[in-house]
């Protein structure tokens, strides 16, 4: 049989036991209770919010070069303004950017 949760062990702010709080969560919950505010849980005790944040934090950011960003912008513009397929827009965007990059500086301005 499970023991009942005692009032001394219960946190008044979040759904976790006080003994699972780290020092930051202790201060956060105490300040939240003292200020009568309603904020998200800051505990590292496995709350839904904490797990979601950990998933975002552990995801490795995808590197996209500036060139690839330029190609994507031109491709998206071509897709919007023309009736070409995505593959055709991608090829045309690469060719256009190569042409612009190879053009002399005086001609580009």
């Amino acid at each position: 049989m499970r023991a009942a949760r005692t009032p001394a062990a219960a946190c008044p702010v979040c759904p976790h036991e006080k003994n699972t709080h780290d020092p930051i969560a202790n201060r956060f919950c105490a300040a939240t209770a003292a200020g009568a505010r309603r904020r998200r849980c800051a505990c590292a005790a496995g709350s839904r919010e904490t797990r979601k944040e950990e998933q975002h934090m552990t995801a490795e950011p995808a590197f996209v070069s500036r060139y690839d960003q330029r190609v994507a912008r031109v491709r998206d513009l071509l897709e919007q303004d023309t009736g070409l397929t995505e593959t055709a827009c991608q090829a045309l965007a690469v060719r256009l950017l190569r042409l612009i990059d190879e053009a002399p500086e005086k001609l580009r301005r």
Side-chain angles (χ1 to χ4, degrees):
M1 190 176 207
R2 253 176 99 181
R5 192 168 145 174
T6 61
C11 177
V13 176
C14 72
H16 305 112
E17 302 290 329
K18 283 187 179 181
N19 62 356
T20 63
H21 284 44
D22 60 0
I24 294 173
N26 278 331
R27 290 185 67 201
F28 182 86
C29 288
T32 303
R37 290 183 156 173
R38 183 163 172 79
R39 302 191 280 190
R40 287 186 172 178
C41 182
C43 298
S47 68
R48 183 171 48 118
E49 293 87 5
T50 306
R51 285 195 305 269
K52 185 187 275 186
E53 288 172 5
E54 286 174 356
Q55 289 173 352
H56 290 298
M57 295 299 288
T58 58
E60 201 169 306
F63 174 76
V64 181
S65 70
R66 295 182 96 188
Y67 174 77
D68 289 336
Q69 291 174 9
R70 289 173 63 206
V71 169
R73 289 182 71 189
V74 173
R75 181 195 63 227
D76 293 343
L77 183 70
L78 289 170
E79 284 180 9
Q80 289 174 356
D81 293 348
T82 66
L84 299 173
T85 65
E86 184 179 346
T87 307
C89 289
Q90 175 74 21
L92 186 56
V94 169
R95 289 180 64 195
L96 285 170
L97 285 176
R98 186 174 297 141
L99 180 68
I100 292 169
D101 288 343
E102 291 174 355
E105 188 70 30
K106 288 183 179 180
L107 187 63
R108 283 192 246 170
R109 291 181 186 222

